[in-house]
Amino acid sequence: MRQPAAQDMPPFIHLKKQPVGGAWLHCAELSATYYEGLSEICGSGLSFAGKTALVTGCGRGSIGADIVCGLLSGGAKVVATTSSFSRKTTLFFEDMYRTHGARGSELIVVPFNQGSTGDVKQLVYYIYHDSGAAKGLGWDLDYVFPFAAVSDIGSFATNLGSRSEFAQRVLLTNVMRLLGGIKDTKERLGYITRPSLVILPLSPNHGTFGGDGLYGECKLGLETAFNRWESESWQDYLSIAGAVIGWTRGTGLMSGNNMVAGDIEELGVRTFSTREMAFSILGLAHPRICRAACYQPIWAGLDGGMKRVANFGVVVSNARAALQDKAGLQQAMAREAALDYLAINLRGHSKTDARVDNGPLAKH
């Protein structure tokens, strides 16, 4: 397969627009606006004063956690969800707010299972209603980041089980249910002049790596939101931006691949830290990008040029195998060096030698 030429590919991060009835195309003008917004954020910062946001999937070490930090730094009011509501979790978010909370910001942490239909309905009700038996916040969300995820590493098409089905509910079914609940609630309450910007976590991994359950199918399924925005009349209530998230080091979903990130960058692919990816995603919340998303959905390619490498999944597998072989060789060399040292320095101590031969340094 021909390796794509660099001049044929868009920049590492860029925005796309879709002509009516056409394919998604790199839009240089919209991308330039996006880059200007990122530059402004680096310089004077971005104010979220008076803005409200919902972020799911913002546990320790996640992209969502750094998104919450950025929103709080800009003065936003944020509802952050957690599937493990405990003292340890609340201390984590308390420290986050103490470190990043700006004047006027709020951080509300709520227990939430994105795999539960009931939790999705109750979360929407809690955010949008401020009266009744279960008094809520009475907000109208400006931003929605449905980033909750479940790892399903080790599940292939031949052994899909209940965990894969649960992951599908978290990654796809209940994301759509959440958006539908927000749209329906805004419609009933008459909130038609302030569409909420939904930033969907898409992926270039559509079965590329394999062995990750229904992850690729779920990410492809989220892309239907671009069409639903028009076919289901979301325009007055929701705006859609899809962020195709590239190789992000340190997240739970990528933990098994962190060790080969350096090899991947040598191929010309840009990998990101969670903070770098959160920064790129928050650039989509810039007012100029938000205004553009009111007229049509936006595709944000934040994949770092992964499409520049042909057979990417095979390349990653080969890099991982090579690293494991190297690690095995180094372990064997270290074992032999230890045995040589003992043989030279402890000659004549048969009991010690026996312990070495049958101890932790022995090869199993």
Side-chain angles (χ1 to χ4, degrees), residues 340-352:
D340 289 344
Y341 175 84
L342 292 175
I344 294 172
N345 292 279
L346 299 177
R347 185 173 298 154
H349 295 267
S350 57
K351 293 183 179 181
T352 303

Side-chain angles (χ1 to χ4, degrees), residues 67-144:
I67 288 175
V68 172
C69 292
L71 291 169
L72 292 174
S73 298
K77 299 179 180 179
V78 182
V79 169
T81 70
T82 175
S83 58
S84 58
F85 196 83
S86 63
R87 177 61 175 166
K88 182 178 180 181
T89 299
T90 55
L91 286 175
F92 165 69
F93 283 106
E94 180 181 323
D95 183 65
M96 178 188 294
Y97 182 77
R98 184 182 298 112
T99 304
H100 300 281
R103 178 180 299 177
S105 65
E106 294 181 18
L107 177 59
I108 300 170
V109 181
V110 298
F112 175 67
N113 175 8
Q114 194 160 299
S116 165
T117 300
D119 277 18
V120 171
K121 293 179 179 179
Q122 292 174 23
L123 179 64
V124 174
Y125 186 91
Y126 172 72
I127 291 173
Y128 275 89
H129 295 82
D130 62 353
S131 60
K135 187 174 177 63
L137 301 175
W139 291 0
D140 180 16
L141 290 171
D142 294 286
Y143 309 108
V144 181

Side-chain angles (χ1 to χ4, degrees), residues 81 89 120 130 146 172 188 210 228 330 333 364:
T81 70
T89 299
V120 171
D130 62 353
L172 175 61
R188 286 189 288 105
R228 293 176 187 271
Q330 290 177 336
M333 292 173 62
H364 295 283

